[in-house]
Amino acid sequence: MPLGTFKLARPFKGPNPSEQNRRRAVATAASRPAGPGVRSLSATAVAAGLLLTGLAVPAEAATYYSAPLRTAARALTVAAENNTGYDRTRYFGNWLDTNRDCQNTRAEVLLQEAKAAATYTTARHCTVRSSRWVTRWDNRTHTLASAVEIDHTVPVHEAWGSGARYWSQARRVAFYNDLGDGRSLNAQTAALNSAKQAKGPEAWMPPANRCEYIGNWIAVKIRWGLRVDSTEKAALIRWADVCPNVRINVTRA
């Protein structure tokens, strides 16, 4: 199936008057409660939250990338995967409530992808109880938040072995909680998550919307500067060559 239109985070270009105004606008938006269709945190807001927790954020200027799908697949840097020392909790942490509205990353993603008004477990609206979700990789509909999990498009274990092991702690936590690009995190069923585990497209593909999945995988790899091993890259190229050659637009984190 054709890839959808992707929603992009704004690039960071360094401190200047217009950028400072943009940051103030992002901070204001991040302080508002999230609702259906609105993911309240950008990568900038996540970084700001990390600073509040005492984690230093590396000064890595973001750049914008745009290329057709097949070109993007072939441009990925190849390196052997190294998963030595992986510890998810120790190196990536957990869901954050970066904008301190009591909704953590899981809740923000659920609200972003909700197809109907949400209900909550408490009057504070911290935890989502119900709405309507269509899990993208199997096209199934769900009404209880407990029926879905939040999936990292590029699994955390895969990210570690593809370069995240060399990052700062702050960057790894930001990857884990990436709300700056809607392709990074999505609601999926536990069955799909269990089947996928830490596999790449060379070993696992979803039952539905596979071309979109390939585009999202490539976009996340580019966004975070993650490498691919030779088998993974070959699979991405094979899929890209039979999918619509749509343009992949990415703001690097």
Side-chain angles (χ1 to χ4, degrees), residues 7-246:
K7 189 174 181 180
L8 306 176
R10 298 186 181 186
F12 174 69
K13 299 181 180 178
N16 56 54
S18 61
E19 177 63 13
Q20 290 171 352
N21 289 337
R22 187 188 71 77
R23 287 188 190 179
R24 282 193 288 269
V26 169
T28 299
S31 67
R32 298 176 185 142
V38 178
R39 192 168 286 181
S40 65
L41 299 178
S42 68
T44 303
V46 169
L50 294 175
L51 287 173
L52 289 172
T53 65
L55 294 172
V57 178
E60 301 174 47
T63 57
Y64 185 74
Y65 177 91
S66 181
L69 175 67
R70 293 165 199 166
T71 300
R74 287 169 169 81
L76 293 166
T77 301
V78 175
E81 192 169 315
N82 183 353
N83 291 305
T84 303
Y86 173 72
D87 185 321
R88 180 184 184 118
T89 302
R90 177 179 178 184
Y91 292 116
F92 291 87
N94 295 296
W95 300 132
L96 298 180
D97 173 19
T98 307
N99 64 355
R100 299 187 173 186
D101 65 351
C102 91
Q103 294 170 351
N104 65 13
T105 299
R106 171 181 164 82
E108 301 281 3
V109 175
L110 289 174
L111 290 170
Q112 163 68 19
E113 298 189 356
K115 307 296 185 184
T119 66
Y120 300 85
T121 59
T122 69
R124 291 190 63 206
H125 289 190
C126 299
T127 305
V128 180
R129 180 195 301 276
S130 66
S131 182
R132 183 168 61 86
W133 295 274
V134 178
T135 44
R136 189 66 181 145
W137 308 134
D138 60 5
N139 289 332
R140 293 181 59 190
T141 299
H142 314 271
T143 56
L144 293 177
S146 58
V148 298
E149 299 177 353
I150 303 304
D151 175 52
H152 289 84
T153 298
V154 173
V156 181
H157 186 270
E158 163 75 23
W160 174 263
S162 301
R165 67 194 312 271
Y166 303 109
W167 295 349
S168 68
Q169 181 74 359
R171 184 166 175 82
R172 286 191 292 263
V173 173
F175 170 84
Y176 192 87
N177 289 271
D178 185 14
L179 293 170
D181 189 309
R183 295 166 289 195
S184 293
L185 298 168
N186 50 82
Q188 296 301 330
T189 62
L192 280 180
N193 249 356
S194 178
K196 176 182 175 180
Q197 297 184 341
K199 300 182 184 77
E202 74 281 7
W204 183 86
M205 285 290 288
N209 302 311
R210 291 179 167 185
C211 286
E212 182 177 355
Y213 183 79
I214 286 294
N216 288 4
W217 182 282
I218 291 171
V220 175
K221 285 269 177 162
I222 293 170
R223 174 168 168 77
W224 289 95
L226 293 168
R227 301 183 296 270
V228 294
D229 62 39
S230 57
T231 306
E232 175 189 354
K233 184 168 184 176
L236 291 170
I237 290 173
R238 284 197 304 273
W239 278 102
D241 285 348
V242 298
C243 288
N245 196 27
V246 300

